[in-house]
Amino acid sequence: MSIRSILEASIVVCAGAGGVGKTTISAAIALEGAARGKKTIVLTIDPAKRLANALGIDELTNKARRIPDEAFEEAGLKPADLEAMMLDTKTTADELVHRYARSPARAKKIIDNRFYQAVSGALSGTHEYMAMEKLYELAGEQKYDLIVIDTPPTRNALDFLDAPKKITSFLEGKLLKWFLLPAIGGGRGIFKLTNLAAVQFLRVVRRIVGSQILEDTAEFLKNFEGMYEGFKQRARAVNELLRQKSTVFVVVTAPSKQSIEEAIFFASALRSSQLSFGGLVVNRVHPRFGVGELDKKSPPLIKALGEVAKGFELVAEREDRSLRRLERQIPRDRWASVPFLTTEVSDLDALSTIAGHIFI
């Protein structure tokens, strides 16, 4: 499979470390999909405002917004069926609670709980889990020919796959429930335990975080009882969606040595997990200038510019070595390179230029 054939899929998951332009690449891939006649949506993760502006809208929200025809026309492009939205972790989590709480009153108790409010956006794996949940929701609507998702930045290649397990393991933690059992059972008070060790532990915790927090936690777990299986079933369904042949993963990386090594590992991890590796995009590759020796009699300004050019040439040489390493590990037709742009990506024309480098 060539990197240029990824648009044959119905879901493209862009993954990789933070700071490599993953969100911009996701938008460029979505733009190309729409330009080819596919009804497309791109789900971004906390994009800069300039990306929303590049798509021709004031801001991105948790609701899908269609890119206006005027934005395409201003960029000299033919209008296409492209929508965009931004992941709102808290709102997505609240929607899940409403789905499994069985009653609006129970859902309200959970959402109003201070412990839930603290962990729903901060618990390890929450952001990744909610990104996959929103992807599953969009796929289930069957409105789109192509869904492009920009996953949260990650240091671990497959954090987004482990996220559901992390969350359900935390919520089902036997040790946590054991310490909070009286409050979960109700009526007897949080510190009326027969186990001396538990009593001493809770007294220490109360001094550190306060008894109100412990009571909020216990109340949350009490209301959450019976909902675990629904969350786990949903997690399994998301996992199956990611493993379908119609879902492909694109790894986005920078041309530096460390980033390339991470990308190679990431691609290997995807294949080992039986996920479809669609290809790799190396973003912001510096050009080669072929700078020669300057005449000693050159004006000071020319000499200064020559030194700057030499600095860029050294950067480009280092990147070339990294790219040769990449080529030895991943066939050249499986990856694309996007040059370092001298201007910000501020409109659809710039996104189209980036897409042109990926799908040339």
Side-chain angles (χ1 to χ4, degrees), residues 139-161:
E141 291 175 359
Q142 297 184 336
K143 288 173 53 180
Y144 304 99
D145 303 313
L146 175 64
I147 301 171
V148 181
I149 178 170
D150 158 35
T151 58
T154 177
R155 290 181 178 274
N156 187 328
L158 299 179
D159 269 353
F160 54 89
L161 289 180

Side-chain angles (χ1 to χ4, degrees), residues 94-348:
D94 291 352
E95 290 170 352
L96 272 177
V97 169
H98 276 287
R99 179 177 292 118
Y100 295 118
R102 301 193 186 122
S103 74
R106 187 182 185 191
K108 187 176 186 304
K109 282 185 178 181
I110 294 173
I111 292 172
D112 289 345
N113 183 277
R114 282 175 289 189
F115 175 77
Y116 168 80
Q117 292 171 1
V119 303
S120 60
L123 187 63
S124 175
T126 303
H127 209 48
E128 292 86 351
Y129 180 89
M130 295 308 162
M132 294 301 102
E133 161 60 28
K134 183 58 70 173
L135 169 63
Y136 184 82
E137 179 184 314
L138 290 171
E141 291 175 359
Q142 297 184 336
K143 288 173 53 180
Y144 304 99
D145 303 313
L146 175 64
I147 301 171
V148 181
I149 178 170
D150 158 35
T151 58
T154 177
R155 290 181 178 274
N156 187 328
L158 299 179
D159 269 353
F160 54 89
L161 289 180
D162 294 334
K165 183 179 178 181
K166 287 181 181 178
I167 292 175
T168 53
S169 294
F170 172 79
L171 294 175
E172 291 184 306
K174 292 181 180 179
L175 182 62
L176 180 63
K177 288 186 179 181
W178 179 65
F179 282 127
L180 299 175
L181 186 61
I184 295 173
R188 291 179 294 166
I190 195 166
F191 292 104
K192 294 184 179 179
L193 292 166
T194 57
N195 187 300
L196 180 61
V199 172
Q200 292 174 338
F201 173 83
L202 286 174
R203 283 174 177 167
V204 172
V205 173
R206 181 177 60 176
R207 287 197 297 270
I208 296 172
V209 302
S211 60
Q212 185 60 53
I213 293 179
L214 289 178
E215 290 169 10
D216 287 342
T217 305
E219 183 66 22
F220 166 77
L221 292 173
K222 177 182 177 181
N223 286 311
F224 212 82
E225 279 293 325
M227 293 173 60
Y228 305 109
E229 190 56 37
F231 271 78
K232 287 192 291 186
Q233 287 177 357
R234 187 74 163 199
R236 286 193 291 268
V238 170
N239 204 287
E240 290 174 5
L241 177 67
L242 294 176
R243 284 178 162 76
Q244 291 179 0
K245 291 183 178 179
S246 57
T247 301
V248 300
F249 289 77
V250 173
V251 179
V252 183
T253 185
S256 67
K257 180 180 178 181
Q258 180 178 352
S259 292
I260 292 296
E261 291 297 334
E262 290 177 353
I264 292 171
F265 173 75
F266 207 151
S268 175
L270 288 170
R271 288 190 290 256
S272 297
S273 299
Q274 298 180 323
L275 298 168
S276 298
F277 172 57
L280 185 145
V281 176
V282 186
N283 193 26
R284 301 173 186 152
V285 178
H286 287 80
R288 298 297 298 268
F289 294 106
V291 180
E293 290 296 323
L294 292 173
D295 191 328
K296 293 181 180 180
K297 296 180 181 180
S298 298
L301 179 58
I302 298 299
K303 288 181 179 179
L305 290 174
E307 290 303 315
V308 171
K310 283 184 179 179
F312 273 103
E313 186 69 9
L314 289 174
V315 171
E317 287 177 1
R318 287 198 295 269
E319 290 179 356
D320 275 353
R321 288 194 291 271
S322 297
L323 295 180
R324 287 195 293 272
R325 157 78 171 141
L326 176 63
E327 196 164 0
R328 289 193 295 270
Q329 297 295 319
I330 299 175
R332 188 63 182 83
D333 67 339
R334 300 299 302 276
W335 53 280
S337 60
V338 176
F340 183 90
L341 302 180
T342 56
T343 57
E344 288 190 345
V345 180
S346 57
D347 54 26
L348 287 179

Side-chain angles (χ1 to χ4, degrees), residues 74-106:
E74 288 175 7
L77 301 172
K78 182 180 178 180
D81 200 349
L82 175 61
E83 297 180 13
M85 66 187 301
M86 181 183 71
L87 176 70
D88 183 329
T89 301
K90 179 66 167 59
T91 300
T92 305
D94 291 352
E95 290 170 352
L96 272 177
V97 169
H98 276 287
R99 179 177 292 118
Y100 295 118
R102 301 193 186 122
S103 74
R106 187 182 185 191

